[in-house]
Amino acid sequence: MPSIHDSVTVLSGVGEKRAEALRKMGIYRVSDLLYHFPRGYQSRGTTVSLAEAGIRGDEGLPSSVMLTVAENARASRLKGRMTLVKVRAVETDFPDSTASAELVFFNQAYLSDRLRIGQNIRVWGKFRKDGRRYTTSSPILEFYTERRSLIPITPVYPLTAGITQNYISKLIGEALTCSDINTCDVIPKSVREKFDLAPIGDSFRCIHLPKTPEEAENAGRRFAFERIFVTAAALTSTGSRRPDKGAANMGFVPLDAFLSALPFTLTGCQARAVDDISRDLASIRPMKRMISGDVGSGKTAVAAAAAYICAAAGYTAAMMVPTEILANQHYADMAPLFSSLGMNVALLTGSTPKKEKARIIDGLAGRGDRIDFVIGTHALLSEGVKFEKLGLVITDEQHRFGVMQRAALENKGGYVHTLVMSATPIPRTLTLVMYGDLDVSILDELPPGRIPVSTFAVDESYRQRLNGFIKKQAEEGHQTYVVCPAVEEKPSENPEEMADLFCDNERALPMKAAVDFADELSDALPDVRIGFVHGKMKNADRDKVMTAFAAGELDVLVSTTVIEVGVNVPSATLMVVENAERFGLSQLHQLRGRVGRGTAKSYCILVSDSKSPKAKQRLDTMCKNRSGFKIAEEDLRQRGPGDFFAVGGIIKQSGAGGSVYSAVTADPRIIEAASASAREIVSADPLLTSPEYRLLRKKVEELTGEYENIIN
Ligand code: ADP
Ligand code: MG
């Protein structure tokens, strides 16, 4: 019997190659496997008739059907090296049914041997009625002789190349047999008892092999509690050990020149945030501050003030943003402002020409023209970039970066002041857990004169009217963004991939591809000037289109979410989101924030044909709420903290990967209870010396070790 402490290589069928693939997912030991949680579940135990499967298929939903092979499989070759296997099967449970199904498989030639007449299979796939037949393409098969051997609820795991669902399920099944499975609980007994948490072994079994959805959900809650508890304990203990010197004291820098160069007056909360920052920067204690603010609340101006203070004090400020478009835009906005103040701003991205790049690198290293403020993408992290006098690191849209990347930039300056700008407001309950060691300035008020954006959710039947509306905006001189979830539509032929798609059936809806959509729209609206951008375009091409749109030379910009972050075009008044069901609440809120930035009335139209109640609820939340803080709280309520955590960096590195929490409705009360009890324990026993905390201490040391390696 394996032990949870063993290397995964003790399990059957794990050779060096597979072990390497597992390591890529952060799985080294058997216990890591236990913490590799499903990203969702398929209820294959609930089987339906073909007729019902067809109806569900029309709604984009997959079904589970018991079938018996009626004719031997037929294999044929398609162009290229592709093989096609087709097999006809009838309903096992309804011998009188005249319905039959045709199952189609690509590149799974081996199936033609296994699919013999009379073979019983449980088939999971999306069925379509096609004449008198039902068809399904690349379904998932389970062969059975005795039905009891089939599990009712099938976990779907995050995968990596070389690791299949079946393989990882088998390994996890083996890991669940560890005799010492109950000895790895980091939650102390007293806490477990206080909150009535199940023993960890049972919880592992329930999260991996639930007999009912409730079992999975309860186990999910338990692990959510654990994750928050451990993280809060780690952050509380690092927070108290955060270095209290080593950064540059920038002293008192008067802001009058900066403020009068700004084209507007700061809002009250912006001014307060700037005050907070001024105070932080006038100390050798490294600032660690986050600006948490709604879209459009003016975080950039606050960041600019921080950069100004830093530059005026004789240090270089660096600002890292997740996309080139955003870097360009920040540069275009801020370079004139700073040059009018006699300061030198540089832009460093992947497409900065070599010569210019060399000049900037020299400037930053103190060898050439001094650079006061550098704005850039990941390019700022490249090896060659060294700073002579880095004083402040700002990261915008911080959720796009992991703790690792942020820290890599901070590293370049020894102890530096850091300012992070959240892309979305973070619910108050989570800030403490995720950013226990950060101070927070909140921007909860929008600049004056904004008219609220009206939001509507519509389905395909509104297409004509929607096109008419886009045309009307163009005629009035206003602009429209259309956001599509994908660049180009590719039918998936990989059954594993299909499995993942089915996991969240919302994803099974066909995706609007940005390029195709732009074509369609051009056909429908010949008089409207339409451009498109997507993430796979050459930067120069993309920038050309973006610039044209910003300059009003295009009426409509069709794009993938490359515009999600930060872009600012005040004359845009309409945001159309296609396949809105595929976006999370905070993403939608972020997208909506692209309009309503000027003086004209703006609209956000969410287009979705999804029948999923969850998706409908999300869209409804968008229509009813304006405040990003409110929406973030709602997101937390509807999906759990998984999505917030997945981007929080440190937690992900704890090895507790997977996103099952998003399948669990996490109760903010769990978050509060778990973090409060962790803080209570750490403050009573800061070094966690009590024997009861032995495992917790180990875990916290592991986490803070990682954390400090990153930070220092
Ligand atoms: P976000 O917080 O989403 O990053 P931005 O910093 O891009 O928001 O600001 C959104 C818009 O509001 C920009 O056009 C900016 O110039 C404008 N803005 C920011 N602060 C003010 C203010 N105090 N008064 C008027 N307009 C402002
Ligand atoms: Mg911004």
Side-chain angles (χ1 to χ4, degrees), residues 233 237 681-682 685-691 693-694 696-697 700:
S237 65
I681 285 174
V682 174
D685 183 355
L687 298 174
L688 299 172
T689 47
S690 155
Y693 304 148
R694 194 178 57 88
L696 176 64
R697 189 179 70 228
V700 164

Side-chain angles (χ1 to χ4, degrees), residues 458-461 463 466-467 482-490 506-521 533-534 558-561 576-583 607-610:
V458 304
D459 60 21
E460 276 304 322
S461 66
R463 184 61 66 195
L466 181 53
N467 286 347
V482 179
V483 175
C484 302
V487 180
E488 49 201 334
E489 203 162 325
K490 268 212 219 90
E506 293 170 23
R507 296 183 193 204
L509 284 178
M511 292 183 285
K512 284 268 156 19
V515 179
D516 293 348
F517 191 81
D519 282 347
E520 271 174 41
L521 199 61
V533 291
H534 57 72
V558 181
S559 75
T560 52
T561 42
V576 178
V577 184
E578 296 290 333
N579 287 103
E581 75 282 350
R582 291 180 54 89
F583 295 87
V607 186
S608 173
D609 263 357
S610 172

Side-chain angles (χ1 to χ4, degrees), residues 51-291:
E52 193 177 336
I55 295 170
R56 287 171 53 85
D58 284 344
E59 294 180 5
L61 303 173
S63 305
S64 184
V65 183
M66 292 288 188
L67 296 175
T68 304
V69 174
E71 284 166 19
N72 285 332
R74 309 174 309 274
S76 55
R77 256 172 203 290
L78 296 180
K79 64 175 175 350
R81 301 219 311 276
M82 209 193 290
T83 57
L84 186 71
V85 172
K86 286 186 175 179
V87 68
R88 198 173 73 83
V90 295
E91 296 189 85
T92 314
D93 297 340
F94 307 96
D96 299 334
S97 159
T98 55
S100 75
E102 179 155 86
L103 318 180
V104 182
F105 304 90
F106 299 94
N107 291 333
Q108 288 175 274
Y110 62 92
L111 281 176
S112 42
D113 280 340
R114 294 201 61 187
L115 292 169
R116 298 269 173 206
I117 293 182
Q119 171 69 52
N120 291 325
I121 40 181
R122 183 164 79 178
V123 182
W124 171 263
K126 210 162 47 160
F127 288 80
R128 224 166 260 296
K129 189 160 192 216
D130 189 4
R132 275 178 313 161
R133 264 202 192 157
Y134 293 85
T135 58
T136 181
S137 173
S138 305
I140 293 171
L141 301 185
E142 290 167 280
F143 295 81
Y144 68 90
T145 39
E146 207 178 322
R147 202 169 285 183
R148 257 166 307 183
S149 66
L150 300 177
I151 52 175
I153 296 177
T154 309
V156 179
Y157 292 100
L159 300 175
T160 189
I163 302 291
T164 64
Q165 285 298 341
N166 281 343
Y167 180 73
I168 196 132
S169 302
K170 205 182 94 322
L171 288 187
I172 289 171
E174 225 179 303
L176 285 170
T177 65
C178 287
S179 54
D180 52 355
I181 196 163
N182 273 311
T183 65
C184 69
D185 201 339
V186 295
I187 301 184
K189 191 154 163 271
S190 58
V191 176
R192 215 156 58 219
E193 280 169 0
K194 182 169 168 195
F195 294 99
D196 201 16
L197 304 174
I200 194 155
D202 289 352
S203 305
F204 278 132
R205 204 270 303 152
C206 289
I207 204 155
H208 290 293
L209 292 171
K211 294 199 183 74
T212 62
E214 291 70 36
E215 278 193 354
E217 197 175 310
N218 286 335
R221 270 179 217 284
R222 192 238 187 257
F223 288 113
F225 185 100
E226 175 178 323
R227 199 177 196 178
I228 292 159
F229 177 79
V230 169
T231 310
L235 287 175
T236 317
S237 65
T238 41
S240 51
R241 271 184 279 146
R242 155 177 156 189
D244 57 1
K245 52 177 187 271
N249 179 343
M250 298 178 180
F252 173 75
V253 173
L255 281 169
D256 311 273
F258 174 80
L259 293 177
S260 50
L262 269 187
F264 44 73
T265 313
L266 294 183
T267 60
C269 55
Q270 280 174 319
R272 275 192 297 280
V274 172
D275 270 355
D276 291 341
I277 292 167
S278 308
R279 230 175 307 115
D280 290 350
L281 293 181
S283 162
I284 54 168
R285 180 172 196 262
M287 168 169 82
K288 286 199 179 297
R289 181 169 293 280
M290 173 168 68
I291 307 175

Side-chain angles (χ1 to χ4, degrees), residues 296 299-300 326 330 396-397 421-422 565-567 590 594 597:
K299 291 184 285 287
T300 318
L326 191 53
H330 276 329
D396 192 9
E397 313 294 351
M421 293 190 274
S422 75
V565 284
V567 186
Q590 192 64 30
R594 299 303 115 211
R597 294 180 162 235

